[in-house]
Every structure is written in C-alpha cells, then in structure tokens.
Amino acid sequence: MRLNGIPGTYEGLHRNIMRESSGNPLAVNNWDINAVNGTPSKGLLQVIDPTFRAYWVAGTPNDPFHPVANIVAAANYAADRYGSIDNVFGPY
C-alpha cells in the first residue's frame, strides 16, 4: 500500500475486515442490494466486482478473493472516497 500511496493502518484494516467478513477471504454477501442487483460483495473487505476492477492495484492478482488484492483494492477505494480505510467505521 505504501508503494502505491494508499493510506491505511493495520488497525483500520483489521477493524473493517472483521466487520465485513469476520476474516474469511472467501466470504460472499448474497443478500444485500448489491447481491440482489447481481454483483455480490466478495472477500475480506467485501468489494463488488466493478469496484475491485476500478481500484485493483497492478502487481496483485486480478482476483477479488485473493487477500492482498482485495485489501489493496478496498483500501484504494476507501482512500479515494473517505481519505483512508482508517476513516471507515461502517459499511462502505
């Protein structure tokens, strides 16, 4: 994340991972509005495919279930929208 200028701390990442997926890298949300619309949230930080594609970081696997790829894409999105994953205290 540092190499790509994506802000965030372990504490912010851990807090959001535990809230979003309880630490399960294969978690899929099949019940919220995103799932109803055909794009379920996936992975540790519950990223939908369009957001993953938009915020994916080159050099990581192009797989939303890959823990590192999911974390950096979600943290990149959170940085763009909220300034940092550290500023996210609820679903995003």
Side-chain angles (χ1 to χ4, degrees):
M1 288 172 49
R2 183 175 31 249
L3 290 174
N4 287 283
I6 304 169
T9 63
Y10 172 83
E11 291 78 15
L13 290 167
H14 184 260
R15 179 183 67 244
N16 284 286
I17 287 169
M18 296 313 291
R19 184 189 63 253
E20 294 292 335
S21 70
S22 298
N24 179 0
L26 300 177
V28 177
N29 181 325
N30 286 312
W31 60 267
D32 72 0
I33 190 64
N34 291 318
V36 170
N37 290 332
T39 56
S41 304
K42 301 175 181 176
L44 289 173
L45 283 162
Q46 293 293 281
V47 180
I48 61 173
D49 286 339
T51 301
F52 181 82
R53 285 192 299 271
Y55 291 94
W56 170 76
V57 174
T60 65
N62 192 5
D63 176 1
F65 291 106
H66 187 278
V68 172
N70 186 278
I71 288 170
V72 294
N76 198 19
Y77 166 75
D80 190 40
R81 182 153 183 180
Y82 303 103
S84 172
I85 193 75
D86 297 338
N87 299 330
V88 179
F89 292 93
Y92 58 102

